[in-house]
Each structure stands twice: as structure tokens, then as C-alpha cells.
Amino acid sequence: MGSNGRGGKRGQRQERREPSLFGGRQSSSSGGGRQVPHGRVPRRKRRSGFRFVSLFLTLVFWGIFAGAAGFGYLWLTLDQKGLFQIPAREPGIMVLAADGSVLAERGAFFGDDVRIADLPAYVPQAIIAIEDRRFRSHFGVDPIGLIRAMVENLRAGRVVQGGSTLTQQLAKNLFLKPDRTMGRKAQEAVLAIWLETQFSKDEILQLYMNRVYFGAGATGIEKAAQKYFGKSAREVTIAEAAILAAVLKAPTTYNPITNPEAANKRANEVLNDMVDAGFIEAGDAQMALTAPATVKASDYVPATQYIVDYVGEILPQLVRNYDQSIVIQTTINPDIQALAERSLRKRLNQDGPKFNVSQASFVMLDPTGAIISMVGGKSYVKSQFNRVTKAKRQPGSAFKPFVYLAAIEQGYGPDSVEVDEPVRIGDWEPENYKRQYMGPVTLTKALALSLNTIAAKLAFNVSPAAVIATAHRLGITSDLADNASIALGTSEVTLLELVSAFTPFANGGAPVQPYIVSRITTRDGALLYERSGDGLGQVVSAYDLGSMNRMMRAVITDGTGRSAQFSDYEIAGKTGTSQDYRDAWFVGYTAHYIAGVWAGNDDNSPTKKMTGGSIPAAIWKDVMEQAHAGLSNLPLPGDNNPYGDGSGAMASYSETYQNAGDDQEYLPRPRQRRGFFESLFGSSSDDEYTPRQRRNEDSGNSAQRLRERGNSK
């Protein structure tokens, strides 16, 4: 058969050839595929590369557009909120003692404390080196720093670096709340850029150093230097500057007072960074490393801080809406204040372990109610809780003077006689210490020895309601339970109100409202507040006052408060101990001052038989004895001759107390459970006392005559 086509074999398919555009050059490929000129990129690859570049540029464009739009929106929003202005510093407060000396300052009393030009160059350089190396070159936000922080955080798998600049930190401190949100970070960046457009770098750095928190209650570098080193920031060394810069990252973690090792380790990083940045020579850093900064002792904040806190709490009641720094004049005597703090700490350190007691508080008033001294606890550093004004505890027998005053006002007298014996009032059975009873005793002796049965009888006879009314009339402000146990001080009160309620016994019978602020002015001298008023008037008669002072004088001369007596001063007062020895009190007074002490444990755990005549009376005497140096021995107020025998002086009690050598109070014992038959048929008549059935039936004729004499006026 003939061939099919030119020179080709029959049945063979002819290969299709495309016209050549390059002078007949063929691909050496034998596959007969598509021929591609040498050095030429395939069209599909060119198209995919173009698409990638185009997509990237588009994303960049829209990213920039979105960022600009977001930035503009945030700018307008922040502007509408009025955030584009540096907020004024919170008005400062200067608290003065009665003699004009400075007790404490809060806030920025005189504005920014330091200017950057007044500081050694290495002080701001230390902060820049560790916090923001490119501070002088960025525009408020540091993109390089952000990228570096992101990389380091990804490597570590956790946040180990922050990308915020000093300007951003300042913006957060000045304008924003410490929220960890993307929105807040965006606002921070916008505000940082605004700060950079409004202020120079030195002005931003100065604002930063004066507004940020350095830990230990110190805001601003000047207060931090004073706090940690006892000197001005203008005088700190390179090593001390490194400590101040180290604190900024985490003020609690790197506090050189409480965590010196961590603080020094980070300070070494600051010094190395200062060398790397060229701020100091390696030799200077080495000298600082070999002689690290010495920080002041960490375990002491003066007890005046309790006073400052208390003043801050009552300030809104006295002055409102002040917009400039103010000066607060208090009634505190700084010498007595320091003395009270020293005595309280000394006595607790010396005798606290023996009695298993860890805390105490002290307050002193003058007869007008002015607070002369206040110590809210052993250590303000360890506990800021003010036990003078906030701790409510059972006063125990220290409450009994209100029971006795209610009885005096209903016809009893200091020489009236009651029988000290087992008592049951309803289901309540108050007992004396060790269940010891003395038989017929005068009210003076009963109060001096703090006999519980007599106080319970008196409260029952005059009614608990009368006792409560008397206590409230004299100055107790807490709610008191209307039951028979009120006689033994089972309702809780604060030390301040108890001492204020004793004040009428010292000032002639007038209740007082305790106060600590006498005058408030602005920094420029404008008067904002001044205390005025003459008190609440007399609420205790001269006769009743004389009777009470005679009985409470016997507590000091012959009773449970003998350890409080000093020299020949006329002193009266009352000890108190609550159930299971949980609280011990002593409140005593002269015609010059009234003071009270509480001692116990914050967890309400029992002490080892501590009474009001031990640590509390010792602290009271330490302070009052020195406070009375140079003061005349004035008699206590009241009718000092209630029986009209012409003597003109307060009658002294002449009984011989069998327990005169023992300052142990007669404490209430835990109520014992009654047996089955006692519950059914009652106790024997020898163990039970029903006040209105058997009042004084065993007191005898001589005791009855004493009672009649005491009840007569």
C-alpha cells in the first residue's frame, strides 16, 4: 500500500508544530512538549508573583488606612473625654501635732518634688537604661522595642518583657485605669504620642519620676529616696539610683526593704545596662557593685500613722470638696505619743510571751475630749488595723462603774452593804474567781476588788435598762444587750468610747465627744474648719460624782489597780478582764488626763491569766507618770464630803482588804451545767440567790447600819 502523507509511515500521527518566533531555535527536549525560551519566567509564575505582591500591598494599604482611622477615632474619643491635659496632682495633706510639728504628709503638698535639672545625671539615666533605652529617639511608641519584646516572649513561652516606653507608662499612670485589655493599650499608645507632641523629653521624664509609684507607700522619686535611704533624691549615689530604678518594674517584688536580695539583683542589671548604654564607666559600676546601697530598717513605721489614717477617715465629715493642699492641726502631743508607743512595744516585748499576749492599744484624752495620744497596735507595718477606734471587745469589769453609778443614782452609797455570795438570776449564775465569796461588803470594797456577784445584784436591782441608759449618757455609743449580764461587761465596745465614757468622772460630770482635729486651713492659710463648742453639759450630780470617784479611788489605793499608782497623785480607775482572760483593760484618770489600755490577741485567743492590773496598768503608768511631770496634784471633782461632817475632803476608805496583796480580779467562770434533778427540782437554797427574796438578810445589824448611812444624803 502507498504511504499516507509525505514520507510518513501509514497510520502514524503527525506531530503538530507551532511557528517559531526565535529564528528556528528549538528546545533540546525530546518530549515534543511546549518550547520555552531560555532565561524566560513562565507566565503562570509571573502572574502568581504579581498577585502576591499586589495582595501584600493591598493589605499594607488597608492596614495603614485602618490604623489611621482607628488612631483618629481614639484621638477624637480621648479628646472628647478631656484626657488631653495633664491631671492636677491630688491635693496634699500635712498633719500637724498640737505644737505645730509635722506628724505626716500625704500626697504632693508642694507639687512636684524634684526637677530633673537638680538631680545627678545618673539618676534619670538609671531609669532610662533599664526601662526604655531608646527613650531619647522614639516618638512615644517604640516599634523596635515591641518587636523585640514579642520575640522574647515567644521564645520564653510567657511574658518576660514589656514593650511599653516610659511615655506609655506615664500615660497609663496619668490617664488610665490599670486594665489589661487591647483597648487600653491602644489608648495608652495614642496618649503617649500626644504627650510627645506637647512636652520635651526632659519634661516627660520629670513627670514620670514624680508621678510613678516606687513601693512602700512612696509616690515619686523624692519620697522613695527619703523612704529607702533617708535622704533626698538629689543626694543619692549611683548604687542607690540603681535601686530606685530597679523598683519600678514591680514595686512589691523589688522592694529593697522587704526583699533586699531581689532588689539588689535587679539593681545589678540596672548598672550593667547603664554601662552598655554608655551612661557610666565599667569602673563606676564595679564600685557600686562592691558597695551596694544601704536601706533603712524595715520593721518600723511610727504609730502616728494610725493617727493619720484616722484623720483621713473623719476628714470628709469636716471638710468637703477642697481642691488644694490643706494643713490639719491635731490635738496630739508628740512627746506623749512617742512615749506611749515606746512603752506599749516595750511591755509587749518584755511581758507578752509570759502572758501569751501579742497586741495592745492605748489612747489618752484631756478633760475636754481632745485626743492627746493614740497607738492603734504594736506595729503599723504588720497590722494597720486601729484597735483604738475599730476593735470591739468585751470590757469585762471595766464596765462596772456604769453599773455602780446607776445604783448610786437610785439611792445606794459607797458604804452601802451587799452580801457577796453565790447568785442565780434566772438561768444566769455569775461567779467570783475560784468561787470565793466574802460575805457582807461595802460597795466601795466590792468595786475595788471587782466582785462579780455584787455587780450582778446591783444591775438586777436597778434594772439592766437603767445601766444601759447610764452608760449611753456618759459616752458609750455601741449597742448594749438588755440583760443581767450587762453588769459584767459582756457587750462589746471600743477602747475610744470606753475612755471617753470615763471622762465625765474626771471633768466634773460632762460627757464629751472625743476629737482629734482642732483646725484645718489651706496651704495659703484660708480657714476651712475650726472646732468650737463647750461640751454637752453636766449629766452627773456633784454628790454622785464624788461617790464614784471615792469608790474608784479605792480601786487604785486598795484594789485591783494598785500597780497604776504613781507618787501621791489622786488617781482613780478600773481594771477589766473578760471571759477566759481574752481581754485585759485598764482605764484610769486624774484631773489632768484620762487614758485607757487594752491588751489581748487579735484572734481572740485566751491569754495566760493576764489581768487589767498587769500589762495594761503598767503601760498606763509608764505614760501617765511622765505626762504628769511638772503638773500639780489636783483633786478629783465631786462633792468630797457627802456626809456633811465638815471635813471638806473626800473621805478615804479605811477597811482592811484581805486581798490587798493580790491584784487578781474576780473573774466570771464558765457556767456549769446543772444536773438532771437540779433541772427538775432546782438548786438548794444555799446555792441560789433570788435578789428580791433575800436581799441582805445575812448582812447583820452593823452592815445594815452602814447601808442606811450610805443611802442617806
Side-chain angles (χ1 to χ4, degrees):
M1 298 293 294
S3 64
N4 185 16
R6 292 182 213 173
K9 293 182 180 179
R10 187 185 182 105
Q12 247 183 348
R13 186 175 177 181
Q14 296 295 316
E15 181 181 8
R16 185 181 177 208
R17 300 181 182 274
E18 295 291 342
S20 175
L21 299 180
F22 297 95
R25 285 184 301 173
Q26 301 292 327
S27 171
S28 61
S29 173
S30 60
R34 182 178 176 183
Q35 299 176 359
V36 180
H38 291 290
R40 187 76 171 180
V41 178
R43 184 174 297 177
R44 289 182 181 175
K45 291 184 177 179
R46 291 203 309 272
R47 288 178 179 174
S48 62
F50 176 76
R51 288 195 190 99
F52 177 78
V53 173
S54 176
L55 178 62
F56 175 76
L57 293 175
T58 301
L59 290 175
V60 170
F61 171 78
W62 285 110
I64 294 173
F65 179 80
F71 182 86
Y73 172 77
L74 285 174
W75 188 284
L76 292 174
T77 302
L78 295 172
D79 189 30
Q80 290 173 356
K81 292 181 179 179
L83 292 182
F84 285 151
Q85 56 181 351
I86 301 297
R89 298 195 71 166
E90 182 180 349
I93 297 175
M94 181 178 287
V95 181
L96 304 180
D99 63 359
S101 60
V102 177
L103 291 177
E105 290 183 48
R106 277 189 171 180
F109 189 78
F110 294 107
D112 284 348
D113 293 300
V114 293
R115 294 185 306 139
I116 195 170
D118 297 334
L119 297 172
Y122 51 74
V123 173
Q125 287 171 350
I127 295 174
I128 292 173
I130 193 67
E131 291 291 325
D132 187 3
R133 187 86 58 90
R134 279 178 290 278
F135 172 71
R136 297 288 182 183
S137 59
H138 62 63
F139 54 90
V141 177
D142 184 8
I144 298 175
L146 287 171
I147 295 171
R148 183 198 68 246
M150 187 181 302
V151 170
E152 292 297 327
N153 293 337
L154 288 173
R155 285 179 178 174
R158 59 188 177 88
V159 177
V160 295
Q161 284 192 14
S164 294
T165 64
L166 284 178
T167 315
Q168 286 176 273
Q169 294 177 42
L170 177 62
K172 177 180 67 176
N173 187 274
L174 290 177
F175 306 112
L176 303 173
K177 296 179 181 179
D179 301 327
R180 290 180 174 270
T181 64
M182 292 300 297
R184 201 271 296 164
K185 291 295 292 183
Q187 291 178 333
E188 178 186 294
V190 172
L191 289 166
I193 293 172
W194 176 81
L195 284 170
E196 293 278 351
T197 65
Q198 301 296 314
F199 301 97
S200 69
K201 289 290 186 178
D202 280 350
E203 289 172 332
I204 291 172
L205 190 55
Q206 179 172 302
L207 273 172
Y208 179 88
M209 289 190 298
N210 283 300
R211 297 293 183 99
V212 296
Y213 183 61
F214 284 81
T219 297
I221 196 167
E222 176 65 16
K223 285 187 173 58
Q226 295 283 358
K227 178 70 177 181
Y228 295 135
F229 310 117
K231 62 175 70 173
S232 170
R234 301 169 181 85
E235 302 169 350
V236 298
T237 64
I238 292 178
E240 291 165 343
I243 286 285
L244 293 173
V247 166
L248 292 169
K249 181 179 181 180
T252 300
T253 302
Y254 298 112
N255 184 324
I257 293 177
T258 56
N259 299 305
E261 184 176 347
N264 285 325
K265 183 177 179 180
R266 182 158 174 81
N268 293 345
E269 296 178 19
V270 174
L271 293 169
N272 291 329
D273 286 351
M274 293 177 73
V275 173
D276 293 343
F279 293 144
I280 61 175
E281 299 293 333
D284 296 329
Q286 187 60 40
M287 289 180 61
L289 289 171
T290 55
T294 301
V295 180
K296 293 195 301 183
S298 63
D299 62 347
Y300 176 70
V301 171
T304 51
Q305 194 60 44
Y306 290 112
I307 296 169
V308 176
D309 290 349
Y310 180 59
V311 168
E313 291 169 7
I314 65 174
L315 184 60
Q317 304 171 26
L318 308 178
V319 176
R320 296 181 180 178
N321 303 323
Y322 59 93
D323 56 2
Q324 58 175 302
S325 297
I326 58 175
V327 181
I328 301 175
Q329 185 90 34
T330 71
T331 57
I332 295 297
N333 182 312
D335 295 331
I336 296 177
Q337 174 68 22
L339 175 63
E341 181 180 359
R342 287 197 303 271
S343 173
L344 188 145
R345 290 167 64 91
K346 180 188 74 174
R347 293 292 180 177
L348 285 178
N349 290 334
Q350 176 180 302
D351 299 326
K354 178 175 67 176
F355 289 106
N356 187 37
V357 58
S358 59
Q359 275 294 354
S361 55
F362 174 91
V363 67
M364 177 190 286
L365 309 182
D366 74 5
T368 70
I371 298 175
I372 305 301
S373 172
M374 176 189 290
V375 182
K378 180 182 179 182
S379 170
Y380 184 86
V381 170
K382 295 180 179 179
S383 173
Q384 294 79 52
F385 182 68
N386 191 335
R387 294 157 189 81
V388 171
T389 62
K390 296 179 179 178
K392 286 196 170 187
R393 308 295 286 259
Q394 291 183 350
S397 295
F399 189 84
K400 288 177 181 176
F402 309 115
V403 178
Y404 279 73
L405 177 58
I408 292 292
E409 291 177 334
Q410 292 195 25
Y412 286 83
D415 293 327
S416 296
V417 174
E418 289 287 349
V419 179
D420 179 26
E421 61 186 345
V423 172
R424 189 175 84 240
I425 301 174
D427 292 331
W428 182 49
E429 300 180 46
E431 295 176 342
N432 290 335
Y433 181 69
K434 295 182 180 179
R435 304 188 73 179
Q436 294 177 350
Y437 303 97
M438 305 182 69
V441 292
T442 64
L443 296 195
T444 301
K445 182 175 182 177
L447 183 59
L449 297 181
S450 202
L451 303 180
N452 289 329
T453 59
I454 304 302
K457 288 182 180 183
L458 294 177
F460 181 86
N461 290 337
V462 303
S463 82
V467 174
I468 292 171
T470 299
H472 283 160
R473 190 173 81 242
L474 266 67
I476 296 294
T477 57
S478 295
D479 294 333
L480 303 174
D482 188 355
N483 56 48
S485 69
I486 190 68
L488 305 188
T490 55
S491 291
E492 296 177 337
V493 299
T494 67
L495 178 60
L496 181 59
E497 64 181 308
L498 185 62
V499 173
S500 68
F502 269 66
T503 302
F505 297 129
N507 70 8
V512 298
Q513 178 67 43
Y515 69 97
I516 197 169
V517 176
S518 58
R519 181 182 174 88
I520 302 175
T521 65
T522 66
R523 186 179 63 188
D524 299 328
L527 182 65
L528 300 178
Y529 166 84
E530 189 166 28
R531 179 176 170 79
S532 60
D534 297 325
L536 304 175
Q538 187 170 352
V539 297
V540 182
S541 71
Y543 169 80
D544 295 340
L545 188 62
S547 297
M548 287 302 302
N549 280 335
R550 176 186 169 191
M551 289 191 290
M552 284 200 281
R553 181 81 181 95
V555 174
I556 307 300
T557 58
D558 300 293
T560 59
R562 289 185 308 281
S563 58
Q565 181 66 51
F566 57 87
S567 66
D568 60 347
Y569 273 89
E570 196 162 293
I571 303 168
K574 186 68 188 76
T575 57
T577 309
S578 66
Q579 186 76 41
D580 296 328
Y581 300 93
R582 297 178 188 276
D583 307 279
W585 308 71
F586 182 76
V587 182
Y589 55 92
T590 66
H592 295 286
Y593 295 119
I594 309 93
V597 182
W598 166 86
N601 296 308
D602 285 339
D603 61 3
N604 204 33
S605 59
T607 66
K608 293 180 180 178
K609 296 187 177 182
M610 178 182 62
T611 66
S614 58
I615 290 177
I619 295 172
W620 187 94
K621 181 179 179 180
D622 287 344
V623 181
M624 290 286 275
E625 185 170 18
Q626 293 195 43
H628 282 75
L631 299 180
S632 57
N633 185 9
L634 299 177
L636 292 171
D639 185 347
N640 293 331
N641 185 24
Y643 303 122
D645 60 6
S647 66
M650 179 179 286
S652 62
Y653 195 69
S654 59
E655 274 191 88
T656 300
Y657 294 173
Q658 296 176 357
N659 298 74
D662 181 12
D663 67 355
Q664 180 68 58
E665 290 189 54
Y666 283 70
L667 304 181
R669 290 166 54 90
R671 195 171 80 185
Q672 298 178 348
R673 293 187 177 184
R674 304 170 68 191
F676 174 75
F677 290 102
E678 283 183 301
S679 300
L680 287 178
F681 304 110
S683 303
S684 67
S685 59
D686 292 337
D687 296 329
E688 184 174 338
Y689 172 79
T690 304
R692 299 198 184 280
Q693 289 180 344
R694 301 182 56 213
R695 180 174 176 177
N696 294 327
E697 70 179 26
D698 296 325
S699 60
N701 293 333
S702 60
Q704 182 64 30
R705 286 195 297 272
L706 281 173
R707 183 216 297 275
E708 291 170 353
R709 181 189 178 197
N711 289 348
S712 64
K713 292 188 181 181

